[in-house]
Amino acid sequence: MTDLKRAIAELAKGGSLTLSSVADGFDAFCTADLTRALAKDAESRAVVLVHVARDGQRARAFGEALRFAAPDIELLDFPSWDCQPYDRVSPDAAISARRILVLSRLARSRTSLERPRILSTTVNALLQRVAPLATIANDTFSAAPGNVVAMDSLIGWLETNGFARASSVRDTGEYAVRGGILDLFAPAWRSRCGSISLRHRSNRSALSIPKRSARPVSTARLILCR
């Protein structure tokens, strides 16, 4: 029996596994092999394995190595807060968005045999409290091209779920209302150019996603920002 088979058998029994003398960077290759071997039995779970790094720097190094060693594996990176609880400075909006996005993926989807999933986090992030699973799973807003939703309801949802109103949208978690146009930058979008604009229909106090745009979308799904 090979070392990998012995490791899988031990994990299947609920035992623990210790890998020693692993060179820096090679832990990603070991984790990738274990993930592929365990993917079939983990299809009912959100992730196959959870990798806990000592700090953010080591977590980033692991992520880079894993993307090189196993591009077929989906990596969810869950960072820790960049400030202390009750600090005078608010958490960085981009970090908050990344945390919420990962929690939303974990709450609403599962890993698969074709594309197994790993959650990468740090000791600090593992110890910090998060919102309840039901809150993450249910507090979403979805709309498709041609749908009509109340402008006031959407603005109220944005305010309740951590979006900040601004005169001009530049950063993650911001939205702006300019006449009949609502422009926003949601956590799931990687850049400002990924934002969408929602416009009023004539003579109606509602808005719709334009069917034609520079970057057509089939569905706009918003998750809480903080």
Side-chain angles (χ1 to χ4, degrees):
M1 181 180 292
T2 64
D3 293 339
L4 179 60
K5 290 182 177 179
R6 284 198 295 268
I8 297 302
E10 185 65 26
L11 293 175
K13 293 187 298 183
S16 61
L17 179 65
T18 301
L19 303 178
S20 60
S21 302
V22 178
D24 287 344
F26 196 74
D27 54 343
F29 289 83
C30 297
T31 305
D33 288 340
L34 291 173
T35 301
R36 295 189 185 100
L38 295 169
K40 185 175 182 180
D41 295 332
E43 287 187 298
S44 61
R45 303 199 299 265
V47 295
V48 179
L49 292 175
V50 177
H51 178 272
V52 183
R54 182 187 305 171
D55 50 40
Q57 183 177 357
R58 289 180 178 269
R60 287 190 294 273
F62 171 79
E64 293 174 358
L66 185 70
R67 292 185 184 94
F68 171 80
D72 58 306
I73 294 178
E74 181 184 4
L75 177 65
L76 298 182
D77 179 25
F78 187 69
S80 63
W81 294 114
D82 62 332
C83 64
Q84 299 297 324
Y86 307 106
D87 202 340
R88 294 181 179 180
V89 180
S90 299
D92 181 72
I95 292 180
S96 299
R98 287 169 55 194
R99 287 171 58 90
I100 291 295
L101 180 59
V102 170
L103 291 174
S104 178
R105 294 290 305 279
L106 295 176
R108 301 175 64 89
S109 63
R110 295 291 179 266
T111 184
S112 65
L113 181 61
E114 295 76 17
R115 187 165 173 76
R117 178 187 292 170
I118 291 177
L119 174 65
S120 175
T121 187
T122 64
V123 174
N124 285 341
L126 199 65
L127 297 175
Q128 293 165 350
R129 301 183 64 178
V130 297
L133 179 65
T135 300
I136 297 295
N138 297 328
D139 284 358
T140 59
F141 175 88
S142 298
N147 290 166
V148 178
V149 296
M151 173 74 89
D152 292 341
S153 297
L154 178 55
I155 293 176
W157 187 93
L158 294 173
E159 292 286 348
T160 301
N161 291 287
F163 285 80
R165 188 161 185 165
S167 58
S168 179
V169 177
R170 298 179 182 274
D171 297 322
T172 303
E174 292 183 345
Y175 79 95
V177 179
R178 305 190 308 276
I181 300 176
L182 186 147
D183 193 25
L184 58 88
F185 190 170
W189 299 328
R190 295 181 179 274
S191 63
R192 171 62 181 79
C193 62
S195 66
I196 59 175
S197 295
L198 311 176
R199 298 174 182 270
H200 274 292
R201 286 188 173 181
S202 58
N203 300 324
R204 298 183 63 177
S205 58
L207 54 88
S208 62
I209 301 176
K211 293 185 177 181
R212 293 188 178 184
S213 62
R215 297 183 60 181
V217 294
S218 58
T219 302
R221 175 172 292 157
L222 306 180
I223 59 177
L224 29 154
C225 188
R226 294 177 178 85

